[in-house]
Amino acid sequence: MSWQEAEVRELKVGRYMLIDDVACKIMEINLSKPGKHGEAKGRIVAIGIFDGQKKSVVYPVKHKVKVPIIEKKKAQVLSLKDNEAQLMDSETFETFYLTLDPDQIGKVKAGEEISYWEAMGIRKIMD
């Protein structure tokens, strides 16, 4: 999959990282000071961008974590059926199906162009 490595001390609020192979947006970072016999730790609170679940991890500041490469793309809505949309990528002309969130069902219409994100093989329509 597509990701790169970064140390915990390089991460910032609003950026992304992988927690349990799920792409998450960092909401909060707390760095502690080093102790007498240990090194500084970083406590990270993040929310999954595809599932919306809150996750929390603690790592030493020199620990390397995976940062996902998120591709932001455009697609045309070909058709809608129940809570599923058939999309065609604007660059590659690949067609695929994505499930709509409950709040997107009335907003997405056939024939219009929408943006979607792809990371770690998962796609989601973003407004």
Side-chain angles (χ1 to χ4, degrees):
M1 297 295 158
S2 54
W3 51 269
Q4 43 192 65
E5 285 189 343
E7 289 186 359
V8 171
R9 64 178 161 205
E10 298 169 351
L11 299 176
K12 294 187 169 68
V13 173
R15 300 268 174 97
Y16 301 93
M17 70 177 286
L18 290 178
I19 299 175
D20 300 328
D21 289 332
V22 176
C24 299
K25 183 175 183 176
I26 299 171
M27 303 309 284
E28 183 181 334
I29 298 177
N30 294 321
L31 299 177
S32 67
K33 295 182 180 179
K36 185 175 180 181
H37 299 290
E39 60 182 301
K41 302 269 191 292
R43 181 178 182 275
I44 303 168
V45 177
I47 296 178
I49 58 175
F50 297 119
D51 59 4
Q53 292 186 347
K54 187 175 181 180
K55 299 177 186 285
S56 178
V57 291
V58 177
Y59 291 125
V61 292
K62 293 182 181 178
H63 182 76
K64 293 200 182 278
V65 295
K66 296 176 183 176
V67 177
I69 297 173
I70 300 172
E71 297 180 43
K72 298 173 183 176
K73 300 180 179 182
K74 299 270 186 200
Q76 181 180 0
V77 180
L78 298 178
S79 65
L80 294 168
K81 184 177 183 184
D82 297 329
N83 64 341
E84 195 171 63
Q86 181 183 16
L87 304 173
M88 180 178 66
D89 188 280
S90 298
E91 293 179 15
T92 64
F93 304 110
E94 172 191 5
T95 58
F96 53 92
Y97 291 92
L98 286 180
T99 312
L100 297 172
D101 290 340
D103 61 325
Q104 295 173 334
I105 291 176
K107 297 177 183 175
V108 177
K109 295 182 178 29
E112 69 180 16
E113 188 172 88
I114 53 102
S115 62
Y116 73 95
W117 289 8
E118 182 176 4
M120 303 299 293
I122 302 172
R123 297 173 175 154
K124 183 178 181 182
I125 296 174
M126 303 304 260
D127 293 323

